[in-house]
């Protein structure tokens, strides 16, 4: 089993409401894929269809070629954490994990191993009702990792985590991806996962509006340079074989990986430089453009998607 | 399948519900046994006879003493049955349960077997209470503690089955009414008030008696006591009563399985 998640023409209607509309994507092993969209875009419904909890109106979702409900060892194949509230408040964290261990035929010792792994060993004997949001997220992650699965599906895993927790989660997911696991995480905040994910799938209104690597989304790396002698500098940069265009708000925008390269060209041309920095594509802005005006939960009819822009400005 | 059953047993044993219920079941058995053992007589005095208390055989006294509390016991087991699925909906643990056991009918089957096992466990707890308390009082009063051991033992063993079957009725009800509190209120209300009242009302019409004997509470009585409390002959035999009760449990489990298979878990 290669651990690829394959979603083909997946649709789900609740009555007349089309929650997910002809969605297709695949999630590759060894990479972290962000599943992004505003609240109500259909992310959770899609993940629940992948996990066999919701029956699709049409289309298929498979994991390593098999629908979730037909996996022989589901817990050891796919780990999922869907909501931070999925615990009986009167059951301790350790007992919660032991229930899963017994259902999956795993030894009880896995429970304590996992609590240590996610950094909440002290919570073992505490009833889950008394957990903080951060502890719930970690217990959910521990449950997902019980069977050492090849595939991880996490719904809004960063919700409720403090900055330290988010940094911990980021490093933890990196480590898991380096072991070759397939990781799919959903979020309604691109900024939250921007530094974590390799690939992105952006959905709005139940449809995919953008798919690709995060680098593709960002577009080319650019360097912005401000000089009192813009024309001379532009010529020097063009002569060096670089693509230059005037930047919004003054100065020049150059396609280049390093600021040092630009600084050296300016120095050789004898042009003074007042400002020099690498430009980051404003992904949050892009995300907003892709998904704006589409929030059907606000009662605003979708008025055509903003045309997908090339990354960067 | 074995792993799924083990998980269900664990779910029941890892919250405070099970021992709280154990205390309640023990108390129901003991208190009703104390009451019955104290008031029942083989030959009622004229005053009691005037009130309609029938003459009873030693077997009837012993059976009544040891099993009367089961009317409370089976309602408690029905509540446990409701809660095994109701609390999964309420706390959304049904998601995790189905991720571990994606075959939904298998999950329900695991719950059915776990509940039947808990019927036996609670039945034993019930009997410790009712036989312990009842036998003490009977022997103090100089009445026979264990007359006709074969028949009496059959009634006591059937308590274990009856409690499990009522837990299954609760399981089906818990799937049918997904709001746990509503399901418990409806279940307890029907079992304690509506169903017995309906039984009495139906019995008023000529054909009613033959219908009322199939009601769950009367079928339960038939299974446990093997004779009619009011002396009427219109009661099922113990095995027919058991079949009727198994029928109710099977129908409720079938409804529960059907609905669980169809529902989206959101």
């Amino acid at each position: 089993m290669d651990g690829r998640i394959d979603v083909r023409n997946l649709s789900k209607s609740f009555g007349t409401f089309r929650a997910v509309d002809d969605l297709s994507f695949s999630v590759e092993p060894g990479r972290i894929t962000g599943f992004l969209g505003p609240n109500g875009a259909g992310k959770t419904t899609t993940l629940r269809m992948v996990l066999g909890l919701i029956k699709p109106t049409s289309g298929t979702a498979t994991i390593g070629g098999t629908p979730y409900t037909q996996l022989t060892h589901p817990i050891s194949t796919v780990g999922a954490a869907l909501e931070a509230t999925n615990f009986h408040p009167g059951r301790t964290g350790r007992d919660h994990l032991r229930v899963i261990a017994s259902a999956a035929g795993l030894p009880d010792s896995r429970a304590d191993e996992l609590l240590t792994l996610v950094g909440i060993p002290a919570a073992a004997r505490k009833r889950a009702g008394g957990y903080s949001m951060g502890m719930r997220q970690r217990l959910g992650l521990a449950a997902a990792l019980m069977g050492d699965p090849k595939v991880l599906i996490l719904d809004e895993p960063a919700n409720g985590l403090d900055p330290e927790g988010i940094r911990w989660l980021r490093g933890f997911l990196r480590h898991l991806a380096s072991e070759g696991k397939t990781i799919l995480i959903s979020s309604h905040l691109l900024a939250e996962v921007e530094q974590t994910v390799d690939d992105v799938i952006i959905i709005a209104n139940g449809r995919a509006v953008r798919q690709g690597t995060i680098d593709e989304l960002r577009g080319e790396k650019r360097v912005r340079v401000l000089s009192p002698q813009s024309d001379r500098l532009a010529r020097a940069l063009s002569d060096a074989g670089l693509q230059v265009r005037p930047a919004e708000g003054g100065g020049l925008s150059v396609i280049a990986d390093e600021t040092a390269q630009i600084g050296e060209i300016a120095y050789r041309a004898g042009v003074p430089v007042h400002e020099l920095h690498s430009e980051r594509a404003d992904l949050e802005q892009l995300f907003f453009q892709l998904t704006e005006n589409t929030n059907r939960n606000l009662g605003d009819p979708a008025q055509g998607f903003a045309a997908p822009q090339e990354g960067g400005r | 399948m074995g792993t799924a059953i083990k998980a269900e047993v664990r779910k029941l044993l890892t919250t405070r519900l099970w021992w709280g219920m154990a205390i309640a079941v023990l108390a129901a058995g003991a208190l009703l046994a104390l009451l019955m053992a104290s008031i029942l007589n083989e030959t009622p005095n004229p005053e009691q006879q005037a009130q309609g208390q029938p003459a009873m055989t030693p077997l009837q006294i012993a059976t009544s003493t040891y099993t009367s509390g089961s009317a409370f016991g089976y309602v408690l087991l029905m509540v446990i049955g409701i809660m095994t699925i109701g609390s999964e909906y309420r706390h959304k643990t049904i998601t995790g349960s189905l991720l571990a056991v994606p075959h939904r009918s298998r999950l329900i089957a695991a719950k059915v077997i776990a509940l039947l096992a808990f019927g036996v466990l609670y039945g034993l707890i019930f009997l410790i209470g009712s036989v312990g308390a009842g036998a003490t009082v009977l022997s103090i009063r100089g009445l026979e503690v264990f007359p006709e051991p074969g028949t009496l033992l059959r009634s006591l063993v059937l308590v274990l089955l009856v409690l499990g079957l009522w837990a299954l009725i609760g399981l089906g009800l818990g799937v049918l009414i997904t709001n746990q509190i509503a399901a418990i209120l409806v279940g307890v209300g029907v079992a304690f008030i509506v169903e017995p009242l309906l039984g009495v009302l139906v019995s008023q019409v000529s054909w009613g008696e033959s219908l009322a004997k199939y009601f769950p509470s009367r079928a339960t009585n038939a299974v446990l006591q093997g004779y009619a409390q009011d002396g009427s002959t219109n009661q099922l035999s113990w095995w027919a009563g058991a079949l009727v009760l198994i029928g109710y449990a099977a129908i409720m489990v079938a409804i529960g399985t059907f609905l669980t298979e169809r529902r989206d878990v959101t």
Side-chain angles (χ1 to χ4, degrees):
Chain A
M1 201 207 87
D2 65 353
R4 217 174 108 106
I5 302 174
D6 240 316
V7 168
R8 286 287 149 255
N9 308 106
L10 203 60
S11 296
K12 178 67 185 182
S13 298
F14 294 107
T16 56
F17 179 72
R18 203 147 180 88
V20 175
D21 194 1
D22 197 27
L23 189 61
S24 295
F25 63 83
S26 59
V27 181
E28 302 297 332
R31 297 178 72 83
I32 304 178
T33 302
F35 188 44
L36 306 168
N39 286 327
K43 300 187 297 291
T44 300
T45 303
T46 303
L47 296 186
R48 283 182 175 267
M49 284 195 279
V50 171
L51 294 166
L53 296 165
I54 292 179
K55 289 179 188 65
T57 305
S58 60
T60 58
T62 56
I63 294 161
T66 312
Y68 186 88
T69 51
Q70 286 166 33
L71 292 172
T72 4
H73 301 291
I75 292 292
S76 304
T77 310
V78 183
L82 287 181
E83 275 164 71
T85 54
N86 283 341
F87 312 113
H88 191 293
R91 195 175 283 139
T92 65
R94 177 191 275 146
D95 281 338
H96 175 74
L97 296 181
R98 284 183 173 177
V99 166
I100 298 170
S102 51
L106 299 165
D108 284 357
S109 55
R110 277 301 278 170
D112 288 316
E113 282 172 39
L114 262 301
L115 286 171
T116 306
L117 185 68
V118 301
I120 51 168
R125 290 171 183 281
K126 196 174 167 186
R127 291 176 199 281
Y131 281 21
S132 68
M133 191 64 181
M135 286 163 82
R136 284 161 176 266
Q137 287 286 20
R138 287 175 191 238
L139 181 58
L141 201 55
L145 291 165
M146 277 304 282
D148 192 21
K150 188 92 173 52
V151 181
L152 268 183
I153 296 177
L154 309 174
D155 196 9
E156 305 268 1
N159 248 8
L161 288 184
D162 52 20
E164 191 274 328
I166 291 181
R167 205 177 58 173
W168 169 83
L169 179 68
R170 189 175 295 152
F172 193 66
L173 293 178
R174 265 291 139 231
H175 167 71
L176 294 172
S178 72
E179 294 178 337
K181 293 188 194 301
T182 310
I183 302 178
L184 179 63
I185 57 177
S186 79
S187 178
H188 61 284
L189 291 172
L190 177 61
E192 204 174 60
V193 298
E194 190 186 328
Q195 295 175 53
T196 313
V197 300
D198 305 305
D199 297 329
V200 286
I201 299 155
I202 300 177
I203 70 167
N205 235 356
R207 290 169 171 272
V209 291
R210 193 69 179 267
Q211 302 187 34
T213 67
I214 191 89
D215 288 335
E216 280 167 20
L217 196 67
R218 284 205 179 100
E220 302 120 333
K221 277 194 177 167
R222 285 182 173 272
V223 172
R224 183 163 164 186
V225 54
L226 191 65
S227 164
Q229 298 172 23
S230 264
D231 294 346
R232 274 187 62 199
L233 180 57
R235 216 171 306 123
L237 291 167
S238 298
D239 291 347
L242 296 170
Q243 284 188 41
V244 189
R245 71 171 190 215
E248 280 174 46
L252 302 169
S253 176
V254 192
I255 296 177
D257 287 344
E258 301 292 335
T259 49
Q261 190 189 358
I262 311 300
E264 277 167 22
I265 293 170
Y267 176 73
R268 269 187 258 118
V271 180
V273 166
H274 289 178
E275 209 179 306
L276 180 63
H277 59 88
S278 45
E279 243 180 3
R280 289 176 58 96
D282 191 343
L283 285 180
E284 206 54 50
Q285 180 65 24
L286 176 70
F287 181 60
F288 184 67
Q289 283 170 357
L290 287 171
T291 60
E292 72 181 334
N293 292 333
T294 61
N295 197 332
R296 48 210 166 154
N297 295 343
L298 301 177
D300 192 7
Q303 291 287 342
F305 301 107
Q309 285 197 344
E310 286 309 309
R313 276 190 299 169
Chain B
M1 192 68 212
T3 56
I5 296 166
K6 191 178 169 197
E8 289 305 321
V9 171
R10 269 212 168 144
K11 281 180 201 170
L12 280 161
L13 290 179
T14 50
T15 67
R16 281 174 282 202
L17 171 74
W18 84 271
W19 56 262
M21 284 293 186
I23 292 170
V25 167
L26 186 78
L31 291 177
L32 266 290
L34 281 179
L35 180 72
M36 289 299 164
S38 308
I39 62 168
L40 295 179
N41 285 315
E42 285 180 42
T43 47
N45 58 42
E47 194 185 323
Q48 284 171 324
Q49 273 177 330
Q51 287 170 357
Q53 191 169 329
M56 295 178 93
T57 64
L59 175 65
Q60 287 175 333
I61 290 179
T63 312
S64 273
T65 296
Y66 301 147
T67 65
S68 285
S70 62
F72 294 95
Y74 71 64
V75 172
L76 290 171
L77 263 290
M78 181 185 66
V79 170
I80 291 174
I82 291 171
M83 290 182 81
T84 53
I85 189 73
S87 85
E88 297 238 33
Y89 291 132
R90 179 162 183 217
H91 303 298
K92 298 185 178 177
T93 53
I94 185 73
T95 293
S97 298
L98 285 175
L99 288 178
V101 185
H103 268 278
R104 299 188 179 189
S105 51
R106 197 176 292 170
L107 181 72
I108 296 291
K111 285 185 186 293
V112 166
I113 294 169
L115 284 175
L116 286 173
F118 271 77
V120 171
L121 172 72
Y122 282 106
L124 291 172
I125 291 169
F126 175 87
L127 292 178
I128 289 171
S130 73
V131 176
T136 311
V137 177
L138 289 180
S139 68
I140 288 172
R141 292 183 63 206
L143 296 168
E144 272 190 82
V145 172
F146 224 82
E148 296 183 52
T151 317
L152 185 56
L153 197 63
R154 187 193 71 206
S155 287
L156 299 189
V157 170
L158 285 170
V159 169
L160 314 187
L161 174 70
V162 162
L163 294 187
L165 291 176
W166 274 88
L168 299 188
I169 292 174
L171 176 68
L173 190 63
V175 177
L176 200 60
I177 305 175
T178 51
N179 181 318
Q180 179 177 240
I181 305 294
I184 291 174
L185 288 178
V186 168
V188 173
V190 168
F192 267 145
I193 303 164
V194 179
E195 192 257 13
L197 213 60
L198 210 61
V200 171
L201 286 177
V202 167
S203 304
Q204 302 308 309
V205 294
S206 54
W207 45 269
E209 273 295 330
S210 53
L211 183 68
K213 67 183 175 187
Y214 294 104
F215 279 31
S217 65
R218 296 199 180 198
T220 305
N221 271 335
V223 177
L224 293 183
Q225 307 197 331
Y227 66 93
Q229 276 172 314
D230 55 2
S232 90
T233 50
N234 237 323
Q235 184 165 15
L236 299 168
S237 61
W238 71 267
W239 57 267
L243 286 179
V244 168
L245 214 51
I246 288 170
Y248 282 119
I251 290 168
M252 292 307 283
V253 168
I255 291 172
T257 309
F258 176 75
L259 289 177
T260 305
E261 286 276 1
R262 282 175 49 106
R263 275 189 192 140
D264 283 336
V265 179
T266 55

